[in-house]
Amino acid sequence: MANPPAMANPRGAPPLLHPRHRRLLRSPISRCAFLLLAFAAILLLSALRQVARVDFPRPDAPRQVSSEQLWVSDGYGYNACVVPTSRYKVPGKSDRYMTVRSNGGLNQMRTGICDMVAVARLVNATLVIPQLDKRSFWQDTSTFKDIFDQPHFIKALEGDVNIVDDLPESLQSAPRARKHFTSWSGASYYEEVKELWKNQKVVHIPKSDSRLANNGLPTDIQRLRCRCLYQALRFSNPIEDLGKKLVDRLRYRGKFIALHLRYEKDMLAFTGCTYGLSDSEANELRIMRERTSHWKLKDINSTEQRSEGNCPLTPNEVGIFLRAMGYPESTWIYLAAGEIYGGDKYISKLRSYFPNLVSKEMLATKEELEKFNSHASQVAALDYIISVESDVFVPSHSGNMAKAVEGHRRFLGHRKTITPDRRGLVELFDLLEKEKLMEGPELSSLVTDMHKYRQGSPRKRYGSLPGSKGRARLRTEEAFYENPFPECICLTGKH
């Protein structure tokens, strides 16, 4: 029987095999050897591909980091401990009254309120529910009960301080002493302050922020501050309910980072940080700073601010940072922030690194947000709840919210909080810009090593900076509410 004709080679190409090679393949032994060689070649090619995948990653790929390293923070057995000591007594009735106006944004007011609770305890005065700041930059008309659960606040602290909704009717029109308490004052200062009530039954305090020292106060006063902030000063039910819903919607997607991105117009104008902005944008911020009377510093060198680590990271820099830390492109990121300056023009740079970037406006319905939208402090409270409950919290700049969230997360078991070393990162970002360094394993190694001990693990609160003197040194201490260790965190188990 004649052999079948050979298959024609398309497009006039030369024969795939020389006639002499075809004759050799007619032998069974030759065909077997050929097949074995072909199989060996396939295995070799496959092995080479595997080696290429493992040993030769993409030049811009970050160093591989385990899931545990990305998401888990070790609390080393430390827990919250806020039970009063045996020396602590329930307060008696007092005819002294303190009225307070809490100044600043949400978290400045929150920590100030808890300072005033502790002061009321020190001076044995009855605290009237504080008035909230309605004249700050945010112009929020919210009252105390709009933001906080007022009945719970009074009930939770009844063993610590007498708190009332308002002054007794007999004192409504009584003369009041007005006193600006000195910042960062200790217990001895407030022993002297008691004299104010000798002549008047009511003392009004126009500012509440930073009126207590960070260090050197009695343990029971420090623990009272913690009980106030982390247990008594709970948000109102509508805020708590929506906050928990948004957390659940994020958890449904998987683990997530809460990013406190301080890139709002007022923040950039106040700090004088204009890196990466256009000339017209930088000029707009300068004009805003000059026209805001209570911002004392007007002439700011933006380059110096940035090199000293005083500027918030830009959205693009945050993307580079988180990628270098090893977080994959698929990571969900919740944007805890106000309106970002420049809008999508700058946010798109962060989204190019992490497409799964969401905000409360994307998670909640229009109807759910409607009741909060005209109240900046209530919206900020939603961001606070989500930030505290996130798997990882990352602030792009220090500030009242960043400090309060970090302290709360430490109190709850040292949940992972990555605090960027902005000064060190700027040096790396500048090398990237000059093309003396490339994104990839080398940058990733430098960034992860730089932040090895900046991820929320237990440590004692920092004291004042070396060389600082007088009362000015108190400004350089780490804030009590940023890290309430050791007074409110200990190894002796939960209390």
Side-chain angles (χ1 to χ4, degrees):
M1 182 176 177
N3 291 325
M7 185 179 292
N9 205 19
R11 301 189 182 180
L16 296 174
L17 287 174
H18 191 276
R20 181 164 55 84
H21 295 157
R22 287 202 299 272
R23 285 197 300 273
L24 285 172
L25 284 176
R26 287 171 188 160
S27 162
I29 295 175
S30 298
R31 282 200 298 271
C32 183
F34 180 81
L35 290 171
L36 286 172
L37 285 170
F39 183 65
I42 291 169
L43 287 176
L44 179 61
L45 181 60
S46 177
L48 287 172
R49 285 176 176 168
Q50 291 294 329
V51 170
R53 277 199 293 270
V54 174
D55 294 343
F56 305 101
R58 287 169 44 195
D60 63 342
R63 190 169 63 174
Q64 292 296 310
V65 182
S66 70
S67 178
E68 186 175 359
Q69 287 175 291
L70 290 176
W71 300 105
V72 178
S73 180
D74 193 345
Y76 300 100
Y78 284 94
N79 295 295
C81 49
V82 293
V83 173
T85 67
S86 59
R87 300 182 299 275
Y88 196 75
K89 305 299 181 185
V90 174
K93 292 292 182 181
S94 172
D95 61 354
R96 303 172 175 181
Y97 287 86
M98 264 175 56
T99 60
V100 175
R101 190 182 74 84
S102 295
N103 57 302
L106 174 69
N107 289 288
Q108 189 172 336
M109 290 192 293
R110 289 176 69 242
T111 54
I113 288 167
C114 290
D115 272 7
M116 289 300 103
V117 165
V119 168
R121 171 79 191 194
L122 286 168
V123 300
N124 190 29
T126 296
L127 177 67
V128 178
I129 286 291
Q131 301 168 341
L132 303 188
D133 194 341
K134 296 177 174 58
R135 296 179 292 177
S136 66
F137 176 85
W138 297 274
Q139 299 289 301
D140 191 342
T141 60
S142 299
T143 64
F144 189 98
K145 64 183 178 181
D146 291 328
I147 300 177
F148 306 111
D149 185 338
Q150 187 165 313
H152 173 78
F153 178 70
I154 296 173
K155 179 71 175 174
L157 294 171
E158 65 182 2
D160 303 291
V161 179
N162 292 315
I163 304 175
V164 294
D165 294 332
D166 205 349
L167 285 170
E169 190 173 340
S170 60
L171 294 176
Q172 290 285 343
S173 56
R176 305 181 191 185
R178 180 183 171 92
K179 176 65 175 177
H180 282 269
F181 291 152
T182 302
S183 299
W184 300 295
S185 295
S188 60
Y189 169 84
Y190 286 103
E191 279 296 319
E192 297 173 9
V193 164
K194 287 181 181 180
E195 297 296 313
L196 289 168
W197 278 271
K198 279 191 172 181
N199 299 319
Q200 279 93 19
K201 288 190 174 183
V202 183
V203 175
H204 178 67
I205 294 82
K207 287 190 175 183
S208 64
D209 62 323
S210 304
R211 302 298 129 171
L212 275 173
N214 294 305
N215 305 306
L217 289 168
T219 297
D220 276 324
I221 294 299
Q222 299 288 57
R223 290 186 175 182
L224 171 57
R225 295 168 88 182
C226 290
R227 289 197 300 278
C228 176
L229 191 63
Y230 306 131
Q231 296 175 354
L233 200 58
R234 191 167 66 190
F235 292 118
S236 64
N237 288 336
I239 294 173
E240 287 281 343
D241 290 346
L242 182 55
K244 289 173 182 176
K245 284 180 183 178
L246 300 185
V247 170
D248 289 342
R249 290 169 195 176
L250 278 161
R251 291 220 181 284
Y252 180 77
R253 293 163 165 84
K255 292 184 182 297
F256 71 96
I257 294 172
L259 170 63
H260 186 42
L261 186 62
R262 293 308 316 272
Y263 213 70
E264 302 94 345
K265 183 178 181 180
D266 64 299
M267 179 65 181
L268 296 177
F270 176 74
T271 57
C273 295
T274 59
Y275 171 77
L277 302 179
S278 67
D279 290 343
S280 62
E281 289 170 330
N283 190 52
E284 181 184 22
L285 297 178
R286 178 186 59 78
I287 292 171
M288 181 180 181
R289 184 168 65 253
E290 289 177 351
R291 290 179 177 175
T292 307
S293 58
H294 60 277
W295 291 352
K296 304 304 180 186
L297 197 58
K298 303 297 183 183
D299 188 17
I300 300 176
N301 185 313
S302 178
T303 302
E304 288 181 4
Q305 276 283 85
R306 183 170 176 269
S307 64
E308 291 171 4
N310 295 327
C311 288
L313 299 181
T314 69
N316 186 57
E317 288 171 343
V318 171
I320 296 171
F321 168 66
L322 291 177
R323 181 185 174 112
M325 287 294 293
Y327 288 96
E329 184 182 30
S330 59
T331 301
W332 285 93
I333 296 180
Y334 174 78
L335 196 60
E339 185 178 353
I340 300 302
Y341 189 59
D344 198 59
K345 175 182 176 182
Y346 296 116
I347 281 294
S348 61
K349 296 181 179 181
L350 172 58
R351 191 176 286 113
S352 69
Y353 284 95
F354 297 97
N356 293 330
L357 183 67
V358 296
S359 62
K360 52 190 157 293
E361 290 79 12
M362 297 167 68
L363 292 171
T365 66
K366 184 178 178 181
E367 292 72 26
E368 286 174 327
L369 285 178
E370 193 171 14
K371 66 180 77 171
F372 305 109
N373 278 337
S374 57
H375 301 284
S377 293
Q378 295 183 47
V379 171
L382 294 172
D383 282 339
Y384 184 90
I385 291 170
I386 296 168
S387 295
V388 169
E389 294 300 324
S390 63
D391 296 287
V392 175
F393 175 64
V394 178
S396 70
H397 191 264
S398 58
N400 291 314
M401 175 161 167
K403 291 174 182 176
V405 170
E406 179 176 355
H408 202 157
R409 289 172 68 84
R410 287 182 178 279
F411 182 80
L412 293 174
H414 293 93
R415 296 172 179 177
K416 197 177 192 75
T417 298
I418 304 175
T419 308
D421 180 350
R422 297 189 303 277
R423 188 170 185 172
L425 286 172
V426 163
E427 294 180 11
L428 298 181
F429 295 149
D430 287 346
L431 290 175
L432 286 174
E433 192 171 346
K434 296 171 184 175
E435 298 186 349
K436 293 181 179 180
L437 180 66
M438 302 296 289
E439 288 187 59
E442 183 182 0
L443 175 64
S444 184
S445 179
L446 291 169
V447 170
T448 52
D449 287 347
M450 185 185 291
H451 293 84
K452 189 180 297 183
Y453 302 109
R454 301 177 67 94
Q455 302 190 33
S457 294
R459 61 167 176 78
K460 289 187 177 181
R461 190 167 57 255
Y462 296 136
S464 56
L465 290 177
S468 55
K469 297 178 181 179
R471 291 195 63 82
R473 78 187 188 284
L474 302 176
R475 289 181 176 273
T476 70
E477 292 178 344
E478 184 175 19
F480 173 79
Y481 294 111
E482 185 177 2
N483 182 13
F485 186 124
E487 298 92 340
C488 300
I489 299 172
C490 54
L491 274 172
T492 56
K494 294 183 178 180
H495 288 264

